[in-house]
Amino acid sequence: MASTISTTIALIVATLLVRARAQPVAPGPTPAPLNLTAVLEKGGQYTTLIRLLRTTQVEQQVNSQLNNSFNGLTVFAPTDNAFNSLKAGTLNGLSQQEQVALVLFHVLPRFYSLSSFETTSNPVQTQASSNNGVYTVNITSTTSQVNISTGVVSTPVTNTLRSDFPLAVYSIDKVLLPYDLFGAKPPATAPAPAPAKEKPGKSDKTPTAPKADGPSAESESSPSAAVGLKGRGVLVWSFVAGAGVMGIIGSLL
Ligand SMILES: *[C@@H]1O[C@H](CO)[C@@H](O)[C@H](O)[C@H]1NC(C)=O
Ligand SMILES: *[C@@H]1O[C@H](CO)[C@@H](O)[C@H](O)[C@H]1NC(C)=O
Ligand SMILES: *[C@@H]1O[C@H](CO)[C@@H](O)[C@H](O)[C@H]1NC(C)=O
Ligand SMILES: *[C@@H]1O[C@H](CO)[C@@H](O)[C@H](O)[C@H]1NC(C)=O
C-alpha cells in the first residue's frame, strides 16, 4: 500500500519535473513545415503568384522539395502589380504546361543569400531548366543591387521576404518571362521589322533637310578646316546615321 502510494507520488513528481524541464527547452508547438505560400501570404501582395502556384501544383512540389532538399530553394516572387502590368492575355496565352514552366522558372534549385549572387556564374539554372541549358537566367550583382535578366526582361530584386536556409524569397517588380517562351517569337514578328522600316524612312528624309543646314553651320564653326565637300558629306552622313541610330535606340527605350 505504502509503496504504491509512494510510487504514484514519485511518478507525479517525475511528470511535473519532466514538464517543468520540457517547457524551457521546447520553444513552442511543433515547428510548422516550411511553407512558401505562408511566406508569400505574409508579404501581402502576391495573390496572383499564390494562385498560379496552386493551379500549376508547383506549390506542393516546392514545399516537398523544401522538406527534402539539401540545397534549399530560392524563389523570385513577382508582385501582383508585376502580373497586372503584363500585356493582356500573356498568362492565358500559355498552355497549362507552359504556365508550369513559367512558375518553375521563378524557382532556383538552391538557396542563395543576396551576397552569394556576387559569386554566381551565369547562366543560372532554374527549376524549369532541363539539362540542355534552356530556361536559365543571368544574375548580375553588386553589394547594393541584384539584377535578374532572362533575355526578355531584366529586373532588380526589390525586397527580401525571407533569407534563411533552406528558403530564400525575393520580391521582384516584373514577371520573369523566359526567353524560351517569349524570346523566340517577338523577333520574328514585331521588333525585327521595326528597325528595318525605320532606317530607310530616316535616310530617305534626312539627306534633304540636314544637308541644307549642315554645311553652313559647319562652315561657320570651322571656316578654315581643311574638310573638302566630300569630307563634309561624310560628316553629314555620319551625323545622319548617328541621329538615325539614336532614334532607333530611343524608340527601343
Ligand atoms: C501552407 O500555408 C498555406 C497558407 O497559410 C496553407 O493554406 C497551406 O495549407 C499550408 N500548407 C502546408 C503543407 O502546411
Ligand atoms: C518531410 O520529409 C520527411 C522525411 O523526409 C517526411 O517523413 C515528412 O512527411 C515530410 N513532411 C512534409 C510536410 O512533406
Ligand atoms: C542593374 O540594372 C540597372 C538598370 O537596369 C543598372 O543600372 C545597374 O548597373 C545594374 N546592376 C548590376 C549589378 O548589374
Ligand atoms: C547570360 O550570360 C552568358 C554568360 O555570361 C552569356 O553568354 C549570355 O549571353 C547571357 N544571356 C543574357 C540573356 O544576358
Side-chain angles (χ1 to χ4, degrees):
M1 210 38 173
S3 75
T4 35
I5 288 170
S6 60
T7 309
T8 312
I9 289 170
L11 275 174
I12 288 167
V13 168
T15 310
L16 288 176
L17 276 177
V18 166
R19 270 205 189 157
R21 222 192 263 164
Q23 257 164 4
V25 171
T30 50
L34 248 183
N35 182 335
L36 172 62
T37 316
V39 174
L40 293 173
E41 274 183 356
K42 212 174 152 198
Q45 48 174 346
Y46 306 93
T47 54
T48 312
L49 179 59
I50 292 169
R51 182 171 55 75
L52 269 176
L53 282 163
R54 293 235 161 98
T55 57
T56 57
Q57 296 177 355
V58 171
E59 180 183 25
Q60 289 138 279
Q61 194 178 326
V62 163
N63 283 335
S64 81
Q65 264 165 355
L66 280 175
N67 190 26
N68 299 318
S69 163
F70 287 116
N71 295 324
L73 291 175
T74 298
V75 177
F76 293 121
T79 59
D80 289 334
N81 273 341
F83 281 102
N84 288 340
S85 52
L86 286 175
K87 264 187 224 141
T90 303
L91 283 185
N92 293 338
L94 299 176
S95 69
Q96 178 69 13
Q97 205 181 356
E98 288 169 334
Q99 289 192 8
V100 172
L102 178 73
V103 177
L104 289 175
F105 189 62
H106 288 73
V107 183
L108 308 182
R110 49 162 288 205
F111 171 85
Y112 290 93
S113 67
L114 274 185
S115 60
S116 72
F117 282 127
E118 284 181 62
T119 52
T120 306
S121 60
N122 288 320
V124 178
Q125 299 271 310
T126 70
Q127 288 289 80
S129 309
S130 47
N131 29 21
N132 48 357
V134 295
Y135 287 100
T136 57
V137 292
N138 279 0
I139 300 176
T140 53
S141 165
T142 61
T143 47
S144 59
Q145 195 171 35
V146 174
N147 285 349
I148 309 142
S149 167
T150 71
V152 179
V153 298
S154 180
T155 194
V157 165
T158 52
N159 193 14
T160 300
L161 296 182
R162 181 197 155 99
S163 182
D164 289 313
F165 187 86
L167 176 64
V169 185
Y170 301 114
S171 186
I172 53 178
D173 289 341
K174 281 186 191 168
V175 178
L176 300 176
L177 300 176
Y179 186 82
D180 304 271
L181 286 180
F182 296 91
K185 289 174 221 162
T189 54
K197 245 188 229 165
E198 212 155 318
K199 246 180 195 169
K202 280 247 161 84
S203 53
D204 282 345
K205 263 188 201 168
T206 40
T208 49
K211 237 181 196 173
D213 296 347
S216 66
E218 211 154 276
S219 54
E220 268 166 33
S221 63
S222 57
S224 61
V227 185
L229 267 176
K230 274 184 184 170
R232 271 186 205 156
V234 169
L235 280 179
V236 170
W237 271 108
S238 59
F239 169 77
V240 168
V245 169
M246 281 172 81
I248 289 165
I249 290 171
S251 69
L252 286 177
L253 291 175

